[in-house]
């Protein structure tokens, strides 16, 4: 099935789909699809840089030991693999910083992970580690470093609290 979609803001009609069998791409708004990259890998989330449609990121559950994020700078023709340093198969949302293409944010069951160096290294955002993440709400341009997140654990959905992280 489809785990996530990413719509290109700079290339109208281009949509990427994260699936259990790699990335799929549509150039016509989803009317037709073709296998694009990372065939055979379980892609859990996908993101496209807001101003550069050639910049595609994919979160992958490689094995039971390691998870990774793959980054393409050429529209998905080639990808670089970057290990997260932790294993999780629950990666829900991936977002690329509007102002800095080397920064990205990944919401997981381990917390919010951040890279500031193009995926080479990942670290947990303070106060989010320990399985407290649910979904990343993508920030609007100009507010990228203030990302609302929602706590997953609590006595009832009414107890979920949205908060904004700053760094």
């Amino acid at each position: 099935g489809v785990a996530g979609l990413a719509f290109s803001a700079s290339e109208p009609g281009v949509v990427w789909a994260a699936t259990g069998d790699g990335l799929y791409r549509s150039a016509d708004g989803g009317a037709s699809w073709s296998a694009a990259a990372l065939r055979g890998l379980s892609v859990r989330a996908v993101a496209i840089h807001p101003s550069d449609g050639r910049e595609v990121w994919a979160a992958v559950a490689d094995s039971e030991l390691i998870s990774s994020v793959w980054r393409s700078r050429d529209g998905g023709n080639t990808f670089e693999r970057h290990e997260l340093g932790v294993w999780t198969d629950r990666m829900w949302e991936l977002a690329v910083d509007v102002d800095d293409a080397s920064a990205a944010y990944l919401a997981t069951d381990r917390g919010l992970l951040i890279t500031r160096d193009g995926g080479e290294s990942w670290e947990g955002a303070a106060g989010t580690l320990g399985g407290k993440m649910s979904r990343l709400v993508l920030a609007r341009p100009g507010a990228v470093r203030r990302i609302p997140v929602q706590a997953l654990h609590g006595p009832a959905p009414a107890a979920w609290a949205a908060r904004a992280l700053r760094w």
Side-chain angles (χ1 to χ4, degrees):
V2 176
L5 296 171
F7 298 84
S8 177
S10 63
E11 298 176 298
V14 172
V15 184
W16 287 82
T19 77
D21 189 31
L23 287 173
Y24 284 73
R25 184 179 187 274
S26 172
D28 56 13
S32 62
W33 294 88
S34 60
L38 308 179
R39 292 296 306 265
L41 294 179
S42 182
V43 180
R44 303 303 175 109
V46 61
I48 305 169
H49 190 278
S51 62
D52 183 358
R54 296 171 300 161
E55 186 85 27
V56 180
W57 295 62
V60 174
D62 292 336
S63 70
E64 292 185 17
L65 299 176
I66 209 71
S67 299
S68 60
V69 171
W70 297 64
R71 181 182 181 191
S72 175
R73 298 173 190 192
D74 59 10
N77 292 316
T78 61
F79 279 83
E80 302 164 348
R81 181 179 181 272
H82 303 285
E83 290 184 5
L84 290 177
V86 297
W87 185 81
T88 177
D89 66 346
R90 292 183 180 100
M91 297 173 276
W92 295 295
E93 303 286 343
L94 180 60
V96 182
D97 193 310
V98 173
D99 299 319
D100 180 1
S102 65
Y105 314 94
L106 179 62
T108 77
D109 65 338
R110 302 282 187 131
L112 179 65
L113 302 179
I114 303 168
T115 183
R116 293 177 181 89
D117 58 11
E120 292 291 329
S121 63
W122 291 82
E123 62 185 4
T128 71
L129 298 181
K132 302 288 184 194
M133 294 300 297
S134 157
R135 300 284 181 174
L136 174 68
V137 178
L138 302 181
R140 291 183 277 296
V144 171
R145 284 183 174 64
R146 185 172 169 82
I147 299 179
V149 295
Q150 196 171 49
L152 175 63
H153 301 291
W160 291 1
R163 61 187 169 137
L165 301 174
R166 287 184 177 266
W167 54 86

